[in-house]
Amino acid sequence: MHTTTVMLIELGAIILGLGLLGRLAGRVGFSPIPLYLLGGLAFGHGGFLPLTASEEFTATGAEIGVILLLLLLGLEYSASDLVTSLKTQYPSGAVDFALNAVPGAAAALLLGWGPVAAVALAGVTWISSSGVIAKVLGDFGRLGNRETPVVLGILVIEDLAMALYLPILTALLAGVSLAGGALTLLISLGTVGAVLYLALRHGRVISRAVSSDSAEMLLLVVLGLTLLVAGIAQELQVSAAVGAFLVGIALSGEVAEGASTLLTPLRDLFGAVFFVFFGLSTNPADIPPVLVPALVLALATTLTKIATGWYAARRAGIRSAGRWRAGGTLVARGEFSIVIAGLAVGAEPRIGPLATAYVLILVVLGPVAARWTEPLALRLTRRPAPPGPVSMPAAERIDPARTGS
């Protein structure tokens, strides 16, 4: 059979499989990410039926998927949102980094993987999944809760931190010298600062230049601009994902809303291809040896994320129940952890299987933690009632006059 024909058959099977897996995840009420990863494991190297003809295409699609994931993430935030979050949430962001990045770095060093792998695994365990958490908040009806802005503030800080973390990781993985790494960091800092300044002061001008009454023209201009900036950023060792994120931040208002509506289906398609490709490139036989470290790391960072949310909500003056809800909501890891692991597998191949097992555990445990952390914590921390007559709350007391007694 002709190579092109085989590739089309494989691509059709992959995309159809993604649709069926996504539908199944929707019915179960969970994120489709673990199903995409499992699908990739089943049909990748060492799987049941390896798909090889479409490998080059899916690799390119996976890169586009990462770029679109970050672009759409940037479109959700305005520059003023980011600046406000930095001013109000930076202590919580520092605690989040210390509690959740350090376990990953320590695990990599204990496993003997070296300092570069430690930096990569720190990112894998640090960043929560914005996509899974947004779904959890909507499913549990918590979008209007007092602790929800705190949770979103932590996510904003993490997303913005990626604009500095990813260039550093990319430079380390490329073997850049200390001077070259410092230059890359300066370029990244300067770029982020310049984009935030332009978005704050001249965001309307930029959006007006990109805007179009034609949906087709808007799609082509935004997508073309994003890929161009992502490519230039990658050439400068700043990371293509960061370039896409900054393009999203620079756009605002109706242009951002219109571009988000047009690009969301493309993001969903290529984002799913990215997760499948990550699974395809991971040999299932490599997962059992790292399953115990992944489980230990998942349990440890579940506790540290709960502590992060509790601390951040406490700073915001939220009561005990809301603090525990905030902590449980932040547990899920997902897209960013896989993006970071995907960058690092060239330097340390064992990160791929560990990250896959880690994300599979926490993307399932995340919604469970969001639901049950609060009631379990309150039950465990509830103090026994003092001896003597029990006094019921006024709202629960029964008026004898109304009962006729």
Side-chain angles (χ1 to χ4, degrees), residues 37-65:
L37 290 172
L38 289 173
L41 288 171
F43 296 100
H45 300 290
F48 300 116
L49 182 63
L51 303 178
T52 55
S54 58
E55 190 171 1
E56 186 175 345
F57 183 91
T58 52
T60 303
E63 290 188 22
I64 296 174

Side-chain angles (χ1 to χ4, degrees), residues 164-192:
L164 302 179
Y165 168 83
L166 288 177
I168 294 172
L169 178 62
T170 303
L172 290 173
L173 293 171
V176 175
S177 64
L178 182 62
L183 179 61
T184 298
L185 181 58
L186 286 174
I187 292 173
S188 179
L189 284 169
T191 304
V192 172

Side-chain angles (χ1 to χ4, degrees), residues 99-368:
L99 290 181
N100 297 286
V102 171
L109 294 175
L110 288 173
L111 291 168
W113 292 357
V116 175
V119 174
L121 197 56
V124 170
T125 59
W126 172 21
I127 306 298
S128 297
S129 170
S130 301
V132 175
I133 290 171
K135 180 172 173 49
V136 165
L137 290 172
D139 290 347
F140 292 168
R142 295 181 182 176
L143 292 173
N145 284 19
R146 282 196 64 205
E147 76 275 3
T148 296
V150 174
V151 172
L152 297 178
I154 292 289
L155 296 178
V156 171
I157 292 288
E158 289 182 349
D159 294 338
L160 189 57
M162 285 294 94
L164 302 179
Y165 168 83
L166 288 177
I168 294 172
L169 178 62
T170 303
L172 290 173
L173 293 171
V176 175
S177 64
L178 182 62
L183 179 61
T184 298
L185 181 58
L186 286 174
I187 292 173
S188 179
L189 284 169
T191 304
V192 172
V195 169
L196 287 176
Y197 174 80
L198 290 172
L200 281 169
R201 295 301 181 97
H202 308 290
R204 292 182 180 179
V205 176
I206 297 171
S207 297
R208 196 179 303 124
V210 174
S211 178
S212 174
D213 293 331
S214 167
E216 178 185 357
M217 294 302 105
L218 180 62
L219 173 64
L220 291 174
V221 169
V222 173
L223 183 58
L225 177 64
T226 302
L227 293 174
L228 177 63
V229 171
I232 294 172
Q234 187 160 297
E235 185 66 24
L236 295 173
Q237 300 290 331
V238 174
S239 166
V242 171
F245 181 64
L246 295 177
V247 171
I249 292 172
L251 302 178
S252 60
E254 293 182 1
V255 172
E257 293 177 9
S260 180
T261 301
L262 292 170
L263 288 165
T264 295
L266 283 177
R267 177 205 61 186
D268 294 341
L269 169 61
F270 286 103
V273 169
F274 165 72
F275 292 116
V276 168
F277 177 74
F278 188 84
L280 289 171
S281 58
T282 302
N283 192 330
D286 294 335
I287 291 181
V290 298
L291 198 53
V292 172
L295 183 59
V296 172
L297 201 54
L299 293 176
T301 52
T302 292
L303 297 177
T304 53
K305 273 294 180 182
I306 291 173
T308 298
W310 192 94
Y311 170 81
R314 182 175 177 270
R315 282 192 70 248
I318 294 169
R319 294 182 178 180
S320 182
R323 297 174 193 174
W324 291 116
R325 284 196 299 270
T329 302
L330 286 169
V331 166
R333 311 303 203 277
E335 58 274 11
F336 263 130
S337 298
I338 297 298
V339 168
I340 293 165
L343 291 173
V345 288
E348 177 48 72
R350 289 171 291 185
I351 284 182
L354 179 63
T356 301
Y358 178 79
V359 169
L360 284 172
I361 294 168
L362 286 184
V363 84
V364 173
L365 183 60
V368 177

